């Protein structure tokens, strides 16, 4: 039997062994800039949400658009999300979760509705597009494309920029720009790695990824295959005006504008993101050698190409054959994801590599977009903005409409941005001597190129996952790019489209 003193001694010994002599607590240094923008977002939300009722908007026909408590709440969430997204005070996906939580907690929309938007078909389409990009990387198709392209283009960085931008733009004529961005992303990662071994972002890498996102938008306006916005907007325009704009008419007017933007953007990036090196010495020979080392085509590479091109073909046929029109494009695209797992090209480990931060970003963007739409806040904004131009010169009205669509599409669905503004604009247009067709086309151009925020388009967010730039950088460089876009819209409406036969100005309705 142990003596009490022995027990006490053992207890003291154990205490000395397990208890550290000194405990240090090192407080984390407070990021005051981050705290400022977190609080700024919260203050903006509270000020808007609890502010007194705002004045109703009156459209040209005298219809009143009241701003309900829910609509004011939608604008409050909109303000907070914009600040948090731009300054990235928390991960962008967490800001998206905040959008859903605020709608539910402040009774802005039914939680079932607010959170259901997080799994909207458009979000799943982005998911499927990202998976395609992953498969291209895993199977080695990305390296084949990159090495082959570089062996043709050569080692001048200016030509590498141009080659990547041209490939991106051409592909968006045939497939959704989201899928194009997901396909180009791993290729650009390979090129970036060949350019520099350093982990620190370079000007060249920033230009590659931001440029890809911008050019994907520019290319996607040329045909109805580049994005859903075109087909939806044309159908919407037909319902309002009873005028049918064909696939080829749209492409005829959009082709010069889209490609002018592609080459202007190339010049833009050559100036603002001028590569540190004029050329990558020996890259052409190295690319040829590395392409040869890849050997013959593998089973998974061939299967991936067959699956991807089959999906693209079926989605493209939806625009030409009524038999395919009922098929949902998201369902078609997700068949490719299912096929990759069924054929064991991908496995469970690959599923864990999905950039869920990017998926959540678009889930939140869909939720705030529908929130602005459902509550009537979007209509209130559109009417108030366009009323400012009801007595303006015709060209100012056209540019004002395009500017509104450009800004709104940076935050919400581009289709929604067009849908809320077209009805009002088409009512005002005849009184200013403006044809409806130029309103439609200028809106489609603006809606295709959201250069300010990641949520404006999937390619923006996909490019961001490269970690080569911050959200603030994307926003700042997007300002001059947006100015260029507005100048191009002016040139198109004033000179280019009239020269091609488009009716821009019509007799003023008294």
């Amino acid at each position: 039997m142990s003596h009490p003193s022995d027990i006490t001694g053992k207890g003291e010994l154990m205490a000395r062994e397990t208890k550290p002599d000194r405990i240090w607590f090192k407080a984390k240094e407070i990021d005051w800039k981050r705290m400022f923008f977190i609080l700024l977002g919260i203050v903006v939300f509270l000020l808007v949400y609890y502010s007194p009722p705002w004045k109703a908007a009156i459209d040209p026909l005298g219809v009143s658009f009241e701003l309900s408590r829910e609509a004011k709440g939608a604008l409050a969430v909109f303000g907070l999300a914009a600040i948090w997204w731009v300054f990235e005070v928390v991960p962008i996906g967490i800001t998206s979760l905040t959008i859903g939580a605020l709608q539910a907690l402040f009774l802005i929309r039914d939680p079932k509705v607010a959170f259901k938007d997080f799994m909207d078909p458009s979000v799943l389409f982005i998911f499927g597009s990202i998976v395609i990009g992953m498969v291209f990387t895993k199977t080695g198709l990305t390296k084949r494309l990159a090495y082959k392209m570089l062996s043709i283009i050569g080692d001048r960085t200016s030509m590498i920029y141009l080659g990547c931008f041209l490939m991106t733009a051409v592909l968006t004529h045939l497939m959704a720009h989201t899928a194009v961005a997901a396909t180009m992303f791993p290729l650009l990662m390979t090129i970036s790695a060949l350019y520099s071994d350093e982990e620190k972002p370079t000007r060249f890498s920033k230009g590659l990824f931001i440029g890809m996102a911008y050019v994907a938008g520019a290319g996607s306006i040329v045909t109805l295959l580049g994005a859903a916005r075109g087909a939806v907007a044309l159908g919407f325009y037909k319902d309002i005006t009873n005028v049918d704009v064909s696939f080829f008419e749209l492409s005829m007017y959009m082709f010069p504008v889209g490609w002018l933007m592609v080459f202007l953007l190339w010049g833009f990036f050559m100036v603002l993101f001028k590569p540190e090196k004029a050329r990558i010495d020996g890259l052409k020979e190295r690319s040829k050698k590395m392409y040869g080392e890849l050997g013959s085509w593998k089973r998974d590479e061939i299967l991936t190409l067959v699956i991807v091109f089959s999906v693209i073909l079926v989605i493209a046929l939806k625009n030409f054959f009524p038999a395919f029109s009922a098929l949902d494009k998201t369902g078609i695209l997700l068949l490719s994801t299912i096929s990759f797992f069924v054929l064991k090209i991908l496995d469970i480990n690959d599923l864990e590599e999905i950039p869920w931060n990017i998926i959540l970003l678009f889930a939140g963007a869909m939720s705030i977009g529908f929130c602005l739409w459902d509550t009537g806040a979007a209509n209130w904004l559109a009417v108030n903005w366009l009323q400012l131009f009801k007595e303006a010169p015709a060209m100012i009205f056209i540019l004002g409409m395009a500017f509104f669509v450009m800004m709104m599409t940076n935050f919400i669905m581009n289709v929604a941005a067009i849908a809320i503004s077209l009805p009002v604009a088409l009512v005002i247009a005849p009184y200013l001597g403006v044809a409806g067709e130029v309103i439609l086309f200028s809106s489609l151009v603006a809606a295709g190129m959201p250069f300010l925020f990641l949520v404006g388009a999937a390619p923006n967010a996909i490019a961001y996952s490269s970690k080569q730039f911050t959200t603030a950088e994307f926003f700042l460089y997007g300002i001059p790019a947006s100015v260029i876009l507005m100048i191009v819209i002016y040139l198109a409406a004033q000179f280019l489209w009239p020269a091609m036969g488009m009716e821009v100005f019509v007799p003023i309705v008294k």
Side-chain angles (χ1 to χ4, degrees), residues 168-177 213-231 233-234 245-262 265 405 409 414 418 440-451 485 488-489 492 496-497:
T168 300
V170 169
L171 288 175
T172 57
H173 296 354
L174 306 171
M175 56 195 283
H177 68 337
Y214 286 4
V215 169
S220 71
I221 70 171
V222 175
T223 74
L224 290 176
L225 306 180
R229 84 181 84 85
L234 293 191
V245 177
S246 70
F247 179 99
F248 297 104
E249 184 182 355
L250 175 130
S251 296
M252 179 182 73
Y253 288 122
M254 290 299 203
F255 184 88
V257 177
W259 278 99
L260 175 60
M261 279 301 300
V262 169
L265 287 169
V405 173
T409 200
N414 43 42
I418 293 172
L440 170 69
F441 281 98
S442 58
S443 300
L444 279 173
V445 172
M449 288 175 263
F451 295 152
L485 173 60
V488 168
I489 292 174
L496 179 61
W497 289 336

Coordinates of all heavy atoms in Angstrom, one line a residue, residues 168-177 213-231 233-234 245-262 265 405 409 414 418 440-451 485 488-489 492 496-497:
T168 N -8.9 31.6 -77.1 CA -10.1 31.8 -76.2 C -11.3 32.3 -77.0 O -12.4 31.8 -76.9 CB -9.7 32.7 -75.1 OG1 -8.6 32.2 -74.3 CG2 -10.9 33.0 -74.2
A169 N -11.0 33.4 -77.8 CA -12.1 34.0 -78.5 C -12.8 33.1 -79.6 O -14.0 33.0 -79.7 CB -11.6 35.3 -79.3
V170 N -11.9 32.3 -80.3 CA -12.5 31.4 -81.3 C -13.3 30.3 -80.7 O -14.4 30.0 -81.1 CB -11.3 30.8 -82.1 CG1 -11.9 29.6 -83.0 CG2 -10.7 31.8 -83.0
L171 N -12.9 29.8 -79.5 CA -13.6 28.7 -78.9 C -15.0 29.2 -78.4 O -15.9 28.5 -78.4 CB -12.8 28.1 -77.7 CG -11.6 27.3 -78.1 CD1 -10.8 26.9 -76.9 CD2 -12.1 26.0 -78.8
T172 N -15.0 30.5 -78.0 CA -16.3 31.0 -77.5 C -17.4 31.2 -78.6 O -18.5 31.4 -78.3 CB -16.1 32.4 -76.7 OG1 -15.5 33.3 -77.6 CG2 -15.3 32.2 -75.5
H173 N -16.9 31.1 -79.8 CA -17.9 31.1 -80.9 C -18.6 29.8 -81.0 O -19.7 29.7 -81.6 CB -17.2 31.4 -82.2 CG -16.6 32.8 -82.3 ND1 -16.7 33.7 -81.4 CD2 -15.8 33.3 -83.3 CE1 -16.0 34.8 -81.7 NE2 -15.5 34.6 -82.9
L174 N -18.0 28.8 -80.4 CA -18.6 27.4 -80.6 C -19.1 26.8 -79.3 O -19.9 25.9 -79.4 CB -17.4 26.5 -81.1 CG -16.7 27.0 -82.4 CD1 -15.5 26.1 -82.7 CD2 -17.7 27.0 -83.6
M175 N -18.7 27.3 -78.2 CA -19.1 26.7 -76.9 C -19.2 27.8 -75.8 O -18.7 28.9 -76.0 CB -18.1 25.6 -76.5 CG -16.7 26.1 -76.3 SD -15.4 24.7 -76.2 CE -15.6 24.2 -74.5
A176 N -19.9 27.5 -74.8 CA -20.1 28.4 -73.7 C -18.8 29.0 -73.1 O -17.9 28.2 -72.9 CB -21.0 27.8 -72.6
H177 N -18.8 30.3 -72.9 CA -17.6 30.9 -72.4 C -17.1 30.4 -71.1 O -15.9 30.4 -70.8 CB -17.7 32.4 -72.4 CG -18.6 33.0 -71.4 ND1 -19.7 32.3 -70.9 CD2 -18.6 34.2 -70.8 CE1 -20.3 33.1 -70.0 NE2 -19.7 34.3 -70.0
A213 N -10.1 36.0 -69.1 CA -11.5 36.3 -68.7 C -12.2 37.4 -69.5 O -13.3 37.2 -69.9 CB -11.5 36.7 -67.2
Y214 N -11.4 38.5 -69.8 CA -12.0 39.6 -70.6 C -12.3 39.1 -72.0 O -13.4 39.4 -72.5 CB -11.0 40.7 -70.6 CG -10.9 41.5 -69.3 CD1 -11.6 41.2 -68.1 CD2 -10.1 42.7 -69.2 CE1 -11.4 41.9 -67.0 CE2 -10.0 43.4 -68.1 CZ -10.6 43.0 -66.9 OH -10.5 43.7 -65.8
V215 N -11.4 38.4 -72.6 CA -11.5 38.0 -74.0 C -12.6 37.0 -74.2 O -13.3 37.0 -75.2 CB -10.2 37.5 -74.6 CG1 -10.3 36.9 -75.9 CG2 -9.2 38.7 -74.7
A216 N -12.8 36.1 -73.1 CA -13.9 35.2 -73.2 C -15.2 35.9 -73.3 O -16.1 35.4 -74.0 CB -13.8 34.3 -72.0
G217 N -15.3 37.0 -72.6 CA -16.6 37.8 -72.7 C -16.7 38.4 -74.1 O -17.8 38.4 -74.7
A218 N -15.6 39.0 -74.6 CA -15.6 39.6 -75.9 C -16.0 38.6 -77.0 O -16.8 38.9 -77.9 CB -14.3 40.3 -76.2
G219 N -15.4 37.5 -77.0 CA -15.7 36.5 -78.0 C -17.1 35.9 -77.9 O -17.7 35.5 -78.9
S220 N -17.6 35.8 -76.7 CA -18.9 35.2 -76.4 C -20.1 36.0 -77.0 O -21.2 35.4 -77.1 CB -19.2 34.9 -75.0 OG -19.4 36.1 -74.3
I221 N -19.9 37.2 -77.3 CA -21.0 38.0 -77.9 C -21.3 37.8 -79.3 O -22.3 38.1 -79.9 CB -20.8 39.5 -77.7 CG1 -19.7 40.1 -78.6 CG2 -20.6 39.9 -76.2 CD1 -19.6 41.6 -78.6
V222 N -20.3 37.1 -80.0 CA -20.4 37.0 -81.5 C -21.5 36.0 -82.0 O -22.1 36.3 -83.0 CB -19.0 36.6 -82.0 CG1 -19.0 36.4 -83.5 CG2 -18.0 37.7 -81.7
T223 N -21.7 34.9 -81.3 CA -22.7 34.0 -81.7 C -23.6 33.6 -80.5 O -23.3 34.0 -79.3 CB -22.1 32.6 -82.2 OG1 -21.6 31.9 -81.1 CG2 -21.0 32.9 -83.2
L224 N -24.7 32.9 -80.8 CA -25.6 32.5 -79.7 C -25.0 31.4 -78.9 O -25.6 31.0 -77.9 CB -26.9 32.1 -80.3 CG -27.8 33.2 -80.9 CD1 -29.1 32.7 -81.5 CD2 -28.1 34.3 -79.8
L225 N -23.9 30.8 -79.4 CA -23.4 29.6 -78.7 C -22.5 30.0 -77.5 O -22.2 29.2 -76.7 CB -22.6 28.7 -79.7 CG -23.3 28.3 -81.0 CD1 -22.4 27.5 -81.8 CD2 -24.6 27.5 -80.6
G226 N -22.0 31.3 -77.5 CA -21.1 31.7 -76.5 C -21.6 31.8 -75.1 O -20.9 31.7 -74.1
A227 N -22.9 32.1 -75.0 CA -23.6 32.3 -73.7 C -25.1 32.3 -73.9 O -25.6 32.6 -74.9 CB -23.1 33.6 -73.0
A228 N -25.8 31.9 -72.8 CA -27.2 31.9 -72.9 C -27.9 33.2 -73.0 O -29.0 33.3 -73.5 CB -27.8 31.2 -71.6
R229 N -27.1 34.3 -72.6 CA -27.8 35.6 -72.6 C -28.3 36.0 -74.0 O -29.3 36.7 -74.1 CB -26.7 36.7 -72.2 CG -25.8 37.2 -73.2 CD -24.8 38.1 -72.6 NE -23.7 37.5 -72.1 CZ -22.6 37.0 -72.7 NH1 -22.5 37.2 -74.0 NH2 -21.6 36.4 -72.1
G230 N -27.6 35.6 -75.1 CA -28.0 36.0 -76.4 C -29.4 35.5 -76.8 O -30.3 36.3 -77.2
A231 N -29.5 34.2 -76.7 CA -30.8 33.5 -77.1 C -32.0 34.1 -76.2 O -33.1 34.3 -76.8 CB -30.7 32.0 -76.9
A233 N -32.2 37.0 -74.6 CA -32.4 38.4 -74.9 C -33.2 38.5 -76.3 O -34.1 39.4 -76.4 CB -31.1 39.2 -75.0
L234 N -32.8 37.7 -77.3 CA -33.5 37.8 -78.6 C -35.0 37.4 -78.4 O -35.9 38.0 -79.0 CB -32.8 36.9 -79.6 CG -31.4 37.3 -80.1 CD1 -31.0 36.5 -81.3 CD2 -31.3 38.8 -80.4
V245 N -34.9 38.6 -84.6 CA -33.5 38.7 -85.0 C -32.9 37.3 -85.1 O -32.9 36.6 -84.1 CB -32.8 39.6 -83.9 CG1 -31.3 39.7 -84.3 CG2 -33.4 40.9 -83.7
S246 N -32.4 37.0 -86.3 CA -31.9 35.7 -86.5 C -30.5 35.5 -86.0 O -29.8 36.5 -85.6 CB -31.8 35.4 -88.0 OG -30.8 36.2 -88.7
F247 N -30.1 34.2 -85.9 CA -28.7 33.9 -85.5 C -27.7 34.6 -86.3 O -26.7 35.1 -85.8 CB -28.6 32.3 -85.6 CG -27.2 31.8 -85.2 CD1 -27.0 31.2 -83.9 CD2 -26.1 31.8 -86.1 CE1 -25.8 30.7 -83.6 CE2 -24.9 31.3 -85.7 CZ -24.7 30.8 -84.4
F248 N -27.8 34.6 -87.6 CA -26.8 35.1 -88.5 C -26.8 36.7 -88.5 O -25.8 37.3 -88.7 CB -27.0 34.6 -89.9 CG -26.9 33.1 -90.0 CD1 -28.0 32.3 -90.1 CD2 -25.6 32.6 -89.9 CE1 -27.8 30.9 -90.1 CE2 -25.4 31.2 -90.0 CZ -26.5 30.3 -90.1
E249 N -28.0 37.3 -88.3 CA -28.0 38.7 -88.2 C -27.3 39.2 -86.9 O -26.5 40.2 -87.0 CB -29.5 39.2 -88.1 CG -29.6 40.7 -88.1 CD -31.1 41.2 -88.0 OE1 -32.0 40.4 -88.0 OE2 -31.3 42.4 -87.9
L250 N -27.5 38.5 -85.8 CA -26.8 38.8 -84.6 C -25.3 38.7 -84.8 O -24.5 39.6 -84.4 CB -27.2 37.9 -83.4 CG -26.5 38.1 -82.1 CD1 -27.4 38.2 -81.0 CD2 -25.5 36.9 -81.9
S251 N -24.8 37.6 -85.4 CA -23.4 37.3 -85.6 C -22.8 38.4 -86.5 O -21.7 38.8 -86.4 CB -23.2 35.9 -86.2 OG -23.6 35.0 -85.3
M252 N -23.6 38.8 -87.5 CA -23.1 39.8 -88.5 C -22.8 41.1 -87.8 O -21.7 41.7 -88.0 CB -24.1 40.1 -89.6 CG -23.7 41.1 -90.6 SD -25.0 41.4 -91.9 CE -26.2 42.3 -90.9
Y253 N -23.6 41.6 -86.9 CA -23.4 42.9 -86.2 C -22.4 42.7 -85.1 O -21.7 43.7 -84.7 CB -24.7 43.4 -85.7 CG -25.6 44.0 -86.8 CD1 -26.9 43.5 -87.0 CD2 -25.2 45.0 -87.7 CE1 -27.8 44.0 -88.0 CE2 -26.0 45.5 -88.7 CZ -27.3 45.0 -88.8 OH -28.1 45.5 -89.8
M254 N -22.4 41.6 -84.5 CA -21.5 41.4 -83.3 C -20.1 41.0 -83.6 O -19.2 41.3 -82.9 CB -22.1 40.3 -82.4 CG -23.4 40.7 -81.7 SD -23.1 42.1 -80.6 CE -24.5 41.9 -79.4
F255 N -19.9 40.4 -84.8 CA -18.5 39.9 -85.2 C -17.5 41.1 -85.1 O -16.5 41.0 -84.5 CB -18.6 39.3 -86.5 CG -17.2 38.7 -86.9 CD1 -16.9 37.4 -86.6 CD2 -16.3 39.4 -87.7 CE1 -15.7 36.8 -86.9 CE2 -15.1 38.9 -88.0 CZ -14.8 37.6 -87.7
P256 N -17.7 42.2 -85.8 CA -16.7 43.2 -85.8 C -16.5 43.9 -84.4 O -15.4 44.2 -84.1 CB -17.2 44.3 -86.8 CG -18.7 44.0 -86.9 CD -18.8 42.5 -86.7
V257 N -17.6 44.0 -83.7 CA -17.4 44.6 -82.3 C -16.7 43.6 -81.4 O -15.7 44.1 -80.7 CB -18.8 44.9 -81.7 CG1 -18.7 45.4 -80.3 CG2 -19.6 45.8 -82.6
G258 N -17.0 42.3 -81.4 CA -16.3 41.4 -80.6 C -14.8 41.3 -80.9 O -14.0 41.3 -80.0
W259 N -14.5 41.2 -82.2 CA -13.1 41.1 -82.5 C -12.3 42.4 -82.4 O -11.1 42.4 -82.1 CB -13.0 40.5 -83.9 CG -13.1 39.0 -83.9 CD1 -14.3 38.3 -84.2 CD2 -12.1 38.1 -83.5 NE1 -14.0 37.0 -83.9 CE2 -12.7 36.8 -83.5 CE3 -10.8 38.2 -83.1 CZ2 -12.1 35.6 -83.2 CZ3 -10.1 37.0 -82.7 CH2 -10.7 35.8 -82.8
L260 N -13.0 43.5 -82.5 CA -12.3 44.8 -82.2 C -11.9 44.8 -80.7 O -10.8 45.2 -80.4 CB -13.2 45.9 -82.5 CG -12.7 47.3 -82.2 CD1 -11.4 47.6 -82.9 CD2 -13.8 48.4 -82.5
M261 N -12.8 44.3 -79.9 CA -12.5 44.3 -78.4 C -11.4 43.3 -78.2 O -10.5 43.6 -77.3 CB -13.8 43.9 -77.6 CG -14.7 45.0 -77.4 SD -14.0 46.4 -76.5 CE -13.5 45.6 -74.9
V262 N -11.3 42.2 -78.8 CA -10.3 41.2 -78.6 C -8.9 41.9 -78.9 O -8.0 41.7 -78.0 CB -10.4 40.0 -79.5 CG1 -9.2 39.1 -79.5 CG2 -11.7 39.2 -79.1
L265 N -8.1 44.7 -76.4 CA -7.7 44.1 -75.1 C -6.3 43.6 -75.1 O -5.5 43.7 -74.1 CB -8.7 43.0 -74.7 CG -10.1 43.5 -74.2 CD1 -11.0 42.3 -74.1 CD2 -10.0 44.2 -72.9
V405 N -26.7 48.5 -68.0 CA -26.6 47.0 -68.2 C -25.2 46.5 -67.8 O -25.0 45.5 -67.2 CB -26.9 46.6 -69.7 CG1 -26.6 45.1 -69.9 CG2 -28.3 46.9 -70.0
T409 N -24.8 43.9 -64.8 CA -24.3 42.6 -65.1 C -23.0 42.2 -64.4 O -22.6 41.1 -64.3 CB -24.1 42.4 -66.6 OG1 -24.1 41.0 -67.0 CG2 -22.8 43.0 -67.1
N414 N -26.5 38.5 -66.3 CA -26.6 39.4 -67.4 C -28.0 39.4 -68.1 O -28.5 40.4 -68.6 CB -25.5 39.2 -68.4 CG -25.2 37.7 -68.7 OD1 -26.2 36.9 -68.8 ND2 -24.0 37.3 -68.8
I418 N -30.5 42.7 -68.6 CA -31.2 43.0 -69.9 C -32.7 43.0 -69.7 O -33.4 44.0 -70.1 CB -30.8 42.1 -71.0 CG1 -29.3 42.3 -71.3 CG2 -31.6 42.3 -72.3 CD1 -28.7 41.3 -72.3
L440 N -31.1 46.8 -78.2 CA -30.8 45.4 -78.0 C -29.4 45.1 -78.1 O -28.8 44.4 -77.3 CB -31.7 44.6 -79.0 CG -31.4 43.1 -79.0 CD1 -31.8 42.4 -77.7 CD2 -32.0 42.4 -80.2
F441 N -28.8 45.5 -79.3 CA -27.4 45.1 -79.6 C -26.4 45.7 -78.6 O -25.4 45.1 -78.2 CB -27.0 45.3 -81.0 CG -27.6 44.3 -82.0 CD1 -28.8 44.5 -82.6 CD2 -26.9 43.1 -82.2 CE1 -29.3 43.5 -83.5 CE2 -27.4 42.1 -83.0 CZ -28.6 42.3 -83.7
S442 N -26.6 47.0 -78.3 CA -25.6 47.7 -77.4 C -25.7 47.0 -76.0 O -24.7 46.9 -75.3 CB -25.9 49.2 -77.4 OG -27.2 49.4 -77.0
S443 N -26.9 46.6 -75.6 CA -27.1 46.0 -74.3 C -26.4 44.6 -74.3 O -25.8 44.3 -73.3 CB -28.6 45.8 -74.0 OG -29.3 47.0 -74.0
L444 N -26.5 43.9 -75.4 CA -25.9 42.6 -75.4 C -24.3 42.7 -75.4 O -23.7 41.9 -74.8 CB -26.3 41.8 -76.7 CG -27.6 41.1 -76.6 CD1 -28.0 40.6 -78.0 CD2 -27.6 40.0 -75.6
V445 N -23.8 43.7 -76.0 CA -22.4 44.0 -76.0 C -21.9 44.3 -74.6 O -21.0 43.7 -74.0 CB -21.9 45.1 -76.9 CG1 -20.5 45.5 -76.7 CG2 -22.2 44.8 -78.4
A446 N -22.7 45.2 -73.9 CA -22.3 45.5 -72.5 C -22.5 44.4 -71.6 O -21.6 44.2 -70.7 CB -23.2 46.7 -72.1
A447 N -23.5 43.6 -71.8 CA -23.8 42.4 -70.9 C -22.7 41.3 -71.0 O -22.5 40.6 -70.1 CB -25.2 41.9 -71.2
G448 N -22.1 41.3 -72.1 CA -21.1 40.2 -72.3 C -19.7 40.5 -71.7 O -18.9 39.6 -71.6
M449 N -19.5 41.7 -71.3 CA -18.2 42.0 -70.8 C -18.1 42.8 -69.5 O -17.8 44.0 -69.4 CB -17.4 42.9 -71.9 CG -17.0 42.0 -73.1 SD -16.3 43.0 -74.5 CE -17.7 43.3 -75.5
P450 N -18.5 42.0 -68.4 CA -18.4 42.6 -67.1 C -16.9 42.5 -66.6 O -16.4 41.5 -66.2 CB -19.3 41.7 -66.2 CG -19.3 40.4 -67.0 CD -19.0 40.7 -68.4
F451 N -16.2 43.7 -66.6 CA -14.8 43.7 -66.3 C -14.4 44.1 -64.9 O -13.3 44.2 -64.5 CB -14.1 44.7 -67.3 CG -14.1 44.3 -68.7 CD1 -14.1 45.2 -69.7 CD2 -14.2 42.9 -69.1 CE1 -14.1 44.9 -71.0 CE2 -14.2 42.6 -70.4 CZ -14.2 43.6 -71.4
L485 N -14.6 49.7 -73.4 CA -15.9 49.0 -73.9 C -16.9 50.1 -74.2 O -17.6 49.9 -75.3 CB -16.4 48.1 -72.8 CG -17.7 47.4 -73.0 CD1 -17.7 46.6 -74.3 CD2 -18.2 46.6 -71.8
V488 N -16.1 51.7 -77.5 CA -16.4 50.8 -78.6 C -17.9 50.8 -78.9 O -18.3 50.8 -80.1 CB -15.9 49.4 -78.3 CG1 -16.4 48.4 -79.4 CG2 -14.3 49.4 -78.4
I489 N -18.7 50.7 -77.9 CA -20.2 50.7 -78.1 C -20.6 52.0 -78.8 O -21.5 52.0 -79.7 CB -20.9 50.6 -76.7 CG1 -20.7 49.2 -76.1 CG2 -22.4 50.9 -76.9 CD1 -21.3 49.0 -74.7
A492 N -19.6 51.8 -82.4 CA -20.5 50.9 -83.1 C -21.8 51.5 -83.4 O -22.3 51.4 -84.5 CB -20.7 49.6 -82.3
L496 N -20.3 52.3 -87.0 CA -20.2 50.9 -87.6 C -21.5 50.3 -88.0 O -21.7 49.9 -89.1 CB -19.4 50.0 -86.6 CG -19.2 48.6 -87.0 CD1 -18.4 48.5 -88.3 CD2 -18.5 47.8 -85.9
W497 N -22.4 50.2 -87.0 CA -23.7 49.5 -87.3 C -24.5 50.3 -88.4 O -25.1 49.6 -89.2 CB -24.5 49.3 -86.0 CG -23.9 48.3 -85.1 CD1 -23.1 47.2 -85.5 CD2 -24.1 48.2 -83.7 NE1 -22.8 46.5 -84.4 CE2 -23.3 47.0 -83.3 CE3 -24.7 48.9 -82.8 CZ2 -23.2 46.6 -82.0 CZ3 -24.7 48.5 -81.4 CH2 -23.9 47.4 -81.0

